[in-house]
Every structure is written in C-alpha cells, then in structure tokens.
Amino acid sequence: MSREIVEVVEIDTPPERVFAALTTPGELIQWWTDPALCVSTKWEMDLRVGGVWSSRWRWTANGDEFSLGGEVVALEPPRLLVYSWRDGRYPNLAPTTVRYEIEARPGGARIRMTHSGFDPVRADFDDYNGGWSGVFKKLARHLAGEFQSNRDVAIEVGDLGAAERFYSGVLGFPVVSRSDRHLALETGAFCLWINQAVEPQSFVPSLVVSDADRARKRLVEAGCTVVRQQAGSRGFWFRDPFGYVVDVIERPSPS
C-alpha cells in the first residue's frame, strides 16, 4: 500500500503566473529557500517532457549540501506539471513523483500538489509530510510581491585592497567577483559584497522585490528614507525607522 501527500491551496494569482513561478529557475531559487534553515543555491530545469531538473541545497547550521532532481514526466502549461523526484540524501530509494494541477478560479488559481510513490516504510515520507505546506506559504508570499531576503550582504570600505587582504587572506573567503570598485566573496551562508566608498556605510542586508517603484512608495509611506539610488538600475538603499540601511534589488518576475 503506497502513501501520498496532498496539499491544496488557493492563490490570488492567475495560473500562468503560478506556473512560471514553479518552473523558472531564477524564481525558484529566489522563493523556495529558507535562510534560517536550508538555502537553495542552484536550480536548473529543462522544461520539456523528458527534460531534467536539478537543484542544490545547503543546511545553514552545518554547511552540509545535498541535491534534489528528476525528470519532467508530463507538461501542459499552465495547468499541469509532473516530475519525478530524487533526493540525494536517500540514494538507495526509488524516485517519487510530484504532480501540480493548476486550476483557474475567480481572481486567481487553485493548486493541487500530490507527492506520491511512498511505500509504507520509506524513511523520507516524514521529511516531506507537513513540509509542503511551508513551501506553498513561501510561494504565496513570493507571488504577492512581498519583500524577499537573498544571500547578499554588503559593507563599504575606504581601502579595497586592505579589505581583500583581511577577508580573503586572513578569514579565507574565496573571491568570486572582482572589479576596481567591489569584491564579492563566498562565505558559505551568504555572499559578502565589499564596495569601495568615500563615505562608507556600515553593514547592509539585501532584499529582492519585483517592482522597485511600488516598494519605494510603500517604504516611504511607512516612514523610511531613500538614501541612495543604485547606478544603472531601479534598485535603491533605504534607511528604516530604526536607522538601519537596507539594499533593495529589483528582479522583475515573468509576466
């Protein structure tokens, strides 16, 4: 006798938009993550029947990594997506199957997710049972256009060379990007951006929004102050009501 997990949710978003969020790697890595628990570091999806999807994950507590992946089994945009599911933590278990059925509803969409293929004694069932509800809460927040955290943290310094000697040379963080104005170093839990500045700002966390103008309006109405416009983009830095500076990056979602 096999077991299955079923979640049914309604979201105030059209099916086409829901389908895009479930199949676009740039969006999946953005919303299907939990910085406090387990960070998604990679998503790839060949969106065709027989195409391969894969993702990489890192536990925040200990830095251990694992993979999830499989193959697309059925595809009827925007109403149906089915793929096999292999968990690298359970290499000896047969793949299971995840099925999304997306139905148009007045003002939005109804999603039915069925994760099937668990025999009565599979060790991975308890890992997933209950976890899917959290996944859909994150999807709903993403589709609602709320602010999302990411893995970027920025600091500003007056001497970029000295900063590299300390953060890379002493602390051992590898440099993954370099220019005459910035360094990006991989720390494991987050990407540390070090920027050259005449008047350096202190620690700056980063948020992602789909519409920078709408986010700016909401923040100003809440008493925040925009302190810097990002050159060449619609992103900006703002100072919150408690004096902290936060970076806002615009990553428009597919329509």
Side-chain angles (χ1 to χ4, degrees):
M1 179 179 178
S2 64
R3 295 178 291 176
E4 64 182 24
I5 301 165
V6 178
E7 289 283 345
V8 179
V9 296
E10 293 193 3
I11 297 180
D12 296 333
T13 308
E16 293 80 6
R17 180 70 193 90
V18 173
F19 189 85
L22 291 171
T23 57
T24 305
E27 289 200 67
L28 287 160
I29 199 171
Q30 180 179 324
W31 67 262
W32 199 334
T33 191
D34 184 350
L37 180 63
C38 190
V39 176
S40 176
T41 61
K42 177 184 177 182
W43 269 93
E44 294 182 347
M45 181 170 289
D46 182 3
L47 196 58
R48 60 183 177 85
V49 174
V52 173
W53 72 276
S54 63
S55 60
R56 294 286 303 174
W57 302 80
R58 179 187 299 116
W59 292 108
T60 302
N62 57 22
D64 288 348
E65 296 190 357
F66 65 96
S67 63
L68 297 174
E71 296 181 357
V72 178
V73 176
L75 183 66
E76 298 178 19
R79 71 172 199 87
L80 180 67
L81 172 66
V82 184
Y83 50 62
S84 60
W85 179 284
R86 297 184 183 89
D87 190 329
R89 297 171 297 173
Y90 302 95
N92 297 322
L93 295 181
T96 51
T97 301
V98 172
R99 179 184 183 92
Y100 298 100
E101 298 169 90
I102 307 170
E103 176 188 356
R105 307 283 286 182
R110 180 177 183 268
I111 309 169
R112 178 185 175 90
M113 188 289 307
T114 305
H115 194 168
S116 61
F118 300 96
D119 65 38
V121 296
R122 281 184 66 125
D124 55 348
F125 180 82
D126 290 337
D127 276 357
Y128 301 129
N129 193 24
W132 278 104
S133 60
V135 170
F136 282 110
K137 287 178 181 177
K138 288 184 282 190
L139 174 62
R141 288 196 300 268
H142 172 73
L143 293 174
E146 295 182 5
F147 294 87
Q148 302 286 319
S149 63
N150 60 35
R151 295 185 63 249
D152 295 336
V153 172
I155 60 173
E156 294 189 333
V157 300
D159 188 334
L160 206 59
E164 181 172 1
R165 288 191 292 274
F166 175 74
Y167 287 99
S168 182
V170 177
L171 299 187
F173 298 145
V175 176
V176 295
S177 177
R178 177 189 286 107
S179 75
D180 59 350
R181 303 297 300 171
H182 85 269
L183 294 169
L185 301 97
E186 180 56 58
T187 72
F190 58 88
C191 183
L192 176 64
W193 292 81
I194 305 176
N195 301 319
Q196 180 88 37
V198 176
E199 298 180 1
Q201 290 276 359
S202 59
F203 170 90
V204 179
S206 182
L207 300 174
V208 174
V209 299
S210 60
D211 188 325
D213 290 340
R214 183 174 63 190
R216 182 196 300 262
K217 182 175 183 294
R218 181 176 179 185
L219 291 166
V220 171
E221 289 175 348
C224 302
T225 303
V226 175
V227 297
R228 183 184 300 176
Q229 179 71 38
Q230 296 287 24
S233 76
R234 285 154 53 88
F236 58 91
W237 288 15
F238 72 92
R239 181 174 287 108
D240 72 12
F242 310 99
Y244 295 101
V245 176
V246 181
D247 180 21
V248 173
I249 300 172
E250 182 183 68
R251 291 179 184 163
S253 300
S255 60

